Amino acid sequence: VVARLEHRGHTNKELRQIEIDAPAALDGACELFVPDDLNKRVGKVYSSVWSPQKEKVLAIAMVRRAHFEPGTELVCVSGEQQCNAVVTSLPIRGHKKTAAP
């Protein structure tokens, strides 16, 4: 992984926040697919929570590079349930670096 970062300058997957049109938080077995091809898996949801403010499910997912741009539409599949999902513009990163006073 470190060699890939040094030579290619990026990883193939990143954590992203996604919004899912679902009535309640989903279990951890959710997978993300391209809307046109439900055989093409592009990510996996690791954690989700219902947001009363947005009236949607907010989730953290590992998403393949070609599909993690904000606004990318995906399909979330959990067992027999299928829901529309969208990658948000809020990236998930480590701690912010602050300047020393």
Side-chain angles (χ1 to χ4, degrees), residues 20-32:
I20 303 171
D21 291 327
L26 306 166
D27 64 8
C30 302
E31 294 187 332
L32 299 170

Side-chain angles (χ1 to χ4, degrees), residues 84-96:
N84 293 327
V86 176
V87 178
T88 68
S89 60
L90 180 64
I92 298 174
R93 299 278 184 219
H95 301 288
K96 286 187 174 181

